[in-house]
Structures are given as structure tokens and as C-alpha cells.
Amino acid sequence: MKKITIAIDGFSSCGKSTMAKDLAKRLGYVYVDTGAMYRSVTLYAMRHNLFNEDGSVKTDALQEHMKDVNISFKFNTEAGRPDTYLNGELVETQIRGMEVSSHVSPIATIPFVRTAMVAQQQQMGRDKGIVMDGRDIGTTVFPDAELKIFVTASAEVRAQRRYDELKGKGQPADFDEILKNVQERDYIDTHRDVSPLRKASDAIELDNSHLTIEQQNAWLMEQYLKAVQG
């Protein structure tokens, strides 16, 4: 069966990463979590004091540092999924906390950051057989992807999922704070000048607010089979 490129875009905390990882594992495809890449740049910026007190980014300083930011993924055999590494350091846990979540949107709006990340993403997907999720995969990174999915769910449902995820990991979580963060990220993601979040004209929309993981995975496999047989 021919290999294709699968682009999964959508709002924050829609479960894009989980569905993309599961689909890639079932297909034997490479999975790339582009959100983790922007979160890793954010973690790097936080560690190197590249934010001003008001939360804005010291863009000139960050641009100087970008050549020193190397993001990679290594398959975790125990978890059955890839982990994120920043300059060789495992940062999967650190990049998922609320502190990084509350700083990532300003980083992701910076043109030179997006240019650097898109170049890395396109290099990763040059041989197809890849599942990639993010905000601009079907519109900017892989506009010619054979299968494009756009995922949405209500802000309240997404905040509850994020809350449950953090509590499940034993991390502190406040629902109202998470909901506010989800809503703010939605606004920033859809209004930024560079590669704003939007549904590609040929993407298939999936509202997974009330779907089980099993129902979602079955739907995704159905779309995949249509794409490879089409």
C-alpha cells in the first residue's frame, strides 16, 4: 500500500497528539508532534531568560539563540510513543506543564521561529509515511498532504481534558485557569499574522467533543483507507 502524508490540525487540547500517535503506531508511520517543538523552544526561552516581565519575548535575543535549539524525537518502547528531546535532554514532562502552556503562544507567533520549525518539519516528512499534527500542517507545512484532518471540540471539553491529564500526572491543575488559557490560545492561534490556525479547504472536520477514543480511531482509520485507495 502506498505511503501518504497525514496532516492533523486543530485547536489546543483537542487530543490531536494522542490520535496522531495512535494512528501512526497502527500504520507503522513516523509521528511528529509539532506542538512539542514549539513547546520545546518555549522551554528553552524560559530557561535562558528570553521573556520580559510582561510575558513578551525578547525576540532579538531569541533569534540569536535559535541556532542552538535542536529538537528531536526518540521512540519510547515502554510507552510505545516518541518522546521529545531538547538538545539531547528528555523534556517530555517539562513541556506539558501549565507554565510552558501559558508562554507558548507568543513564541509560536514569531516568524523566524515558525520558519525554522517548518523547515525541520518538511525535512522530517520528505519520504512520506508520516503523521504530523499541529496548527498549520495542512495549510503551510504540507499543503499537498493526501489526508488532512481538522479537529475541534468545545473549549470547556478541551479544558476538562487538560485538567484530567495534568491531575493524572500528579501535577497541579486549576480548571478555570486552564479554560482561560485554552480560550486565550484559541484567539492567538487564529489571529496571528504568520500561519494562523484555519481549516484547509480540503480538510475533513472532526468534532470529537462527544466521541470515545475508540470511535475516533475507527473514524480516522476509515478516512485513511479512503485516502490511500482514492
Side-chain angles (χ1 to χ4, degrees), residues 10-29:
F11 292 92
S12 66
S13 302
C14 267
K16 299 185 304 297
S17 296
T18 299
M19 71 173 71
K21 288 174 187 175
D22 290 345
L23 183 60
K25 186 176 180 181
R26 292 175 70 184
L27 301 179
Y29 275 27

Side-chain angles (χ1 to χ4, degrees), residues 137-193:
I137 311 307
T139 54
T140 301
V141 183
F142 296 121
D144 297 325
E146 291 88 345
L147 177 58
K148 300 178 186 179
I149 307 294
F150 188 86
V151 192
T152 186
S154 72
E156 290 74 16
V157 165
R158 290 182 284 133
Q160 187 65 51
R161 289 173 180 169
R162 187 84 179 122
Y163 175 86
D164 293 342
E165 179 187 3
L166 290 170
K167 295 296 282 187
K169 293 178 179 178
Q171 297 182 27
D174 178 276
F175 178 82
D176 291 334
E177 178 189 358
I178 294 171
L179 178 59
K180 183 171 181 283
N181 175 250
V182 165
Q183 293 168 333
E184 288 174 348
R185 289 184 66 188
D186 286 353
Y187 183 86
I188 292 171
D189 288 342
T190 54
H191 287 78
R192 65 181 179 227
D193 292 332

Side-chain angles (χ1 to χ4, degrees), residues 212-230:
T212 66
I213 296 295
E214 291 75 18
Q215 290 171 329
Q216 178 177 271
N217 288 345
W219 183 90
L220 282 169
M221 184 57 68
E222 182 183 345
Q223 306 313 312
Y224 161 75
L225 291 172
K226 288 180 183 176
V228 294
Q229 293 166 2

Side-chain angles (χ1 to χ4, degrees), residues 1-2 31 50 52 67 75 84 87 90-91 115 117-118 180 199 204 224 228:
M1 195 171 287
K2 68 176 182 179
Y31 164 70
L50 300 179
N52 295 304
K67 63 183 184 300
F75 194 77
T84 311
N87 294 332
L90 175 62
V91 293
T115 297
M117 295 299 102
V118 168
K180 183 171 181 283
K199 178 185 172 185
I204 307 166
Y224 161 75
V228 294

Side-chain angles (χ1 to χ4, degrees), residues 31-34 36-37 71-75 82-85 124:
Y31 164 70
V32 176
D33 178 357
T34 62
M37 297 174 74
I71 300 160
S72 57
F73 297 92
K74 296 179 184 177
F75 194 77
D83 284 332
T84 311
Y85 286 76
M124 292 173 185

Side-chain angles (χ1 to χ4, degrees), residues 36-186:
M37 297 174 74
Y38 291 103
R39 285 174 172 272
S40 297
V41 176
T42 302
L43 180 63
Y44 181 95
M46 290 167 59
R47 288 178 170 180
H48 289 80
N49 191 32
L50 300 179
F51 283 96
N52 295 304
E53 288 188 9
D54 64 357
S56 59
V57 183
K58 299 176 182 177
T59 51
D60 290 344
L62 177 59
Q63 191 163 17
E64 287 291 318
H65 277 264
M66 282 304 295
K67 63 183 184 300
D68 300 319
V69 180
N70 179 49
I71 300 160
S72 57
F73 297 92
K74 296 179 184 177
F75 194 77
N76 182 327
T77 53
E78 289 186 12
R81 293 173 176 170
D83 284 332
T84 311
Y85 286 76
L86 171 61
N87 294 332
E89 175 195 352
L90 175 62
V91 293
E92 190 64 36
T93 300
Q94 294 93 316
I95 64 174
R96 304 298 176 183
M98 276 304 298
E99 191 173 9
V100 169
S101 293
S102 63
H103 286 83
V104 67
S105 287
I107 289 287
T109 64
I110 299 172
F112 65 78
V113 173
R114 298 204 71 83
T115 297
M117 295 299 102
V118 168
Q120 288 191 36
Q121 293 154 15
Q122 290 174 333
Q123 181 67 17
M124 292 173 185
R126 67 190 185 280
D127 296 325
K128 295 189 178 290
I130 192 167
V131 182
M132 194 174 288
D133 75 274
R135 302 288 192 280
D136 61 347
I137 311 307
T139 54
T140 301
V141 183
F142 296 121
D144 297 325
E146 291 88 345
L147 177 58
K148 300 178 186 179
I149 307 294
F150 188 86
V151 192
T152 186
S154 72
E156 290 74 16
V157 165
R158 290 182 284 133
Q160 187 65 51
R161 289 173 180 169
R162 187 84 179 122
Y163 175 86
D164 293 342
E165 179 187 3
L166 290 170
K167 295 296 282 187
K169 293 178 179 178
Q171 297 182 27
D174 178 276
F175 178 82
D176 291 334
E177 178 189 358
I178 294 171
L179 178 59
K180 183 171 181 283
N181 175 250
V182 165
Q183 293 168 333
E184 288 174 348
R185 289 184 66 188
D186 286 353

